[in-house]
Amino acid sequence: MTDRHTTGVSPDERPLTAAFRADGRPANIADYEAAGGYEALRTALRELAPAEVTKLVSDSGLRGRGGAGFSTGGKWSHVPVGDMAPAIKYVVCNGDEMEPGSFKDRHLIEGNPHLLIEGMALACYAIQARTGYIFLRAQYDKPYALLTQAIAEAKAKGYLGEHILGSGFSLEIYLHVSIGRYMCGEASAMLNALQSDRPNPRWRPPHMASAGLWSRPTVVNNVESLCCVPPIVRLGPERWKSLGLTDEGGTRMYGVSGRVNRTGAWELPVGTPMREVIEQHAGGMRDGFALRAVLPGGASTPFVPAEAIDVIMDFDHMKEAGYSLGTGTALLVDDSVCPIGLVRNLVRFFAQESCGWCTPCWGGLPWAADVLNDIEEGRGRLSDLDLLEEQCWFMGEDMCFCDLAPSATKPLGAALKLFRDDFERHIREERCSYGPVGQPAGQRSLRGPGPDGGH
Amino acid sequence: MLTDSERREIEATLHHYPHRRSAAAGAMRTVQRHRGWLSDEALADIAGFLGVSVEELDSRATFANMLFRRPVGRHVILICDSDCCYVMAYEQMRDHIAARLGIGLGETTPDGRFTFLPIVCLAQCDHAPAMQIDDDFHGDLTPERIDQILASYD
């Protein structure tokens, strides 16, 4: 079951989902206006200079919800505004959502497409862009249809188009549907994809804020980041920040998939402990399964061991603990799953999705995937573990053109430490001793030795 | 030659972009929707209309995982093989579909009804294991559910 709603709190405390309808249907413009929708845009156009909108977002401390966690206001502040600034600028919304494990942006758009439209409008006003693009992944037919309708509704009400709400500001928002590829989610590769060029990442500098889409100043923000902007402007940065439990402030979407009682995505205060997300909102593990580890925010984040789930889920606390928050949508790995098989799956994914530009990526990832496959199939050697460690260095952050291969080393590097015993047992026994995934504990013993070495 | 409806649909997007060639990605999607896949002839039609080279289009088409450069069946099954679906036993679903249809990944049934392909994460992780058939998502798959779902596509 998908649970979008968190009951018992006021709408202003859950601004991302406040206008979600109880019947599960997407909010229309009347629903959104009734929940304070488009008030922020009205206020901005009447009372705030573009730079003041950027300052509100900077003061809120909002950090990008796509995974990297850059300051949203910081990104905007690098774009030139004013009389001397280039006339043509762009805001691109990253709605590619291809990070394995992430489905929160889909929930946000399907619950209330207008929140994203208002967020886009505010972002465009802040950097004085007259054109915005929402880049959607190929599969998002439903979000595409909902956003198409939302744009038409917003235009009819004067929130988009020429001279918005009687101001001097005009804006068109276009939807661009991807033809597919994980690489398109990298911000600079996304710009190439939008231009209909091959989605290879770009070298920076020049930074996108000065030369991005068609070489014009461009800001790229994730769906959820933009959805946070209207509540920041409407409530004010201090009040919005106070919704969070830690210094970072605000709310965000937390999600859970895996063998739990309730998968889903929930808007919760930033800084909610992982244990609360798993046990309270996801209802804990299903009977017969124990939690082994958590992939906390997509395929690009290191594993968190089951013993460490008291960690607080915000960017800084996760980083201090040696993990990474990523998208905030967690995959729970239970004890029926062979961790080597899972890591092989993750590394194969990255190997397949490499654009093939730089050597550590196109050479290292398939190599690492082959080594993992050998270990999983009982042909591994102990020296392979050193080789995999070396690969993590070889594909590290300073060695590659973009973050794709370094991302793969995050779960791989963590797995080599966390699941060391599993790796060594696979090599020693020359086989994988796990049964098929999804087998409850009670049935596993019937199939021979289990993951705990129960000979 | 592009058909009238293909040309009209592509023309309707030209004003979204400052350069005509930037409509190419959408144009390839459009033509594939009409013709099922992108033949060499289809790429040549689009290239001629937008004023770009066939090679340029092909470099995009062959890198994109949602464009087909070979014929596909009436329905395309895309089964997610990423980490959440791995944890939720997609391999058992993959094997079940392969056995039911008598084809492996990358193949089309002899009657042209289904093409069976793997796909990266479909962002349906809350309903893993998941697959997409044409434009429809199907989640929380079990072998029984898969049989029902397949039967609903003629």
Side-chain angles (χ1 to χ4, degrees), chain B residues 4-20:
Chain B
D4 284 348
S5 51
E6 287 168 350
R7 201 175 56 245
R8 266 198 310 276
E9 284 175 45
I10 296 167
E11 275 170 349
T13 68
L14 291 178
H15 74 282
H16 295 187
Y17 308 97
H19 308 290
R20 192 176 173 89

Side-chain angles (χ1 to χ4, degrees), chain A residues 65-67 99-102 104 252 255 274 294-302 304 313 318 324-331, chain B residues 83:
Chain A
R65 302 293 198 238
E99 182 64 30
S102 182
K104 66 188 178 64
R252 68 175 298 143
M274 185 181 281
V294 180
L295 211 47
S300 311
T301 54
V304 177
M313 288 187 84
M318 290 290 283
S324 173
L325 179 60
T327 62
T329 36
L331 166 62
Chain B
D83 51 355

Side-chain angles (χ1 to χ4, degrees), chain A residues 292 339-340 418-427 434 451:
Chain A
R292 270 215 79 196
I340 318 304
L418 182 58
F419 304 120
R420 188 83 188 183
D421 290 349
D422 279 280
F423 276 102
E424 289 180 358
R425 194 166 58 243
H426 275 67
I427 293 165
Y434 285 79

Side-chain angles (χ1 to χ4, degrees), chain A residues 96 135-138 176-181 184 193 196-197 199, chain B residues 24-29 57 60-67:
Chain A
D96 202 38
F135 188 99
L136 287 172
R137 64 174 297 171
H176 179 98
V177 181
S178 176
I179 50 180
R181 204 71 191 203
C184 298
S196 283
D197 294 325
Chain B
M28 289 192 283
R29 262 178 71 86
L57 289 184
R60 289 293 285 115
T62 52
F63 190 62
N65 59 10
M66 292 305 291
L67 295 179

Side-chain angles (χ1 to χ4, degrees), chain B residues 2-135:
Chain B
L2 295 175
T3 64
D4 284 348
S5 51
E6 287 168 350
R7 201 175 56 245
R8 266 198 310 276
E9 284 175 45
I10 296 167
E11 275 170 349
T13 68
L14 291 178
H15 74 282
H16 295 187
Y17 308 97
H19 308 290
R20 192 176 173 89
R21 58 179 298 280
S22 294
M28 289 192 283
R29 262 178 71 86
T30 299
V31 172
Q32 177 168 288
R33 209 165 45 241
H34 283 275
R35 306 186 192 182
W37 66 292
L38 293 172
S39 63
D40 291 350
E41 187 196 356
L43 285 193
D45 292 346
I46 299 165
F49 182 68
L50 293 177
V52 298
S53 71
V54 173
E55 291 74 15
E56 198 178 329
L57 289 184
D58 208 15
S59 78
R60 289 293 285 115
T62 52
F63 190 62
N65 59 10
M66 292 305 291
L67 295 179
F68 308 128
R69 285 288 276 120
R70 281 195 278 167
V72 291
R74 283 199 301 285
H75 306 291
V76 177
I77 304 171
L78 298 164
I79 185 152
C80 173
D81 65 4
S82 292
D83 51 355
C84 300
C85 285
Y86 178 83
V87 163
M88 299 308 284
Y90 95 88
E91 288 177 327
Q92 293 163 35
M93 308 307 141
R94 176 198 63 196
D95 295 348
H96 182 79
I97 295 170
R100 270 282 170 275
L101 300 180
I103 53 171
L105 289 170
E107 295 176 353
T108 300
T109 53
D111 61 1
R113 185 168 159 230
F114 287 113
T115 293
F116 188 29
L117 296 171
I119 188 78
V120 291
C121 184
L122 290 168
Q124 305 288 323
C125 319
D126 46 344
H127 296 290
M131 67 176 173
Q132 180 185 3
I133 302 183
D134 304 334
D135 292 337

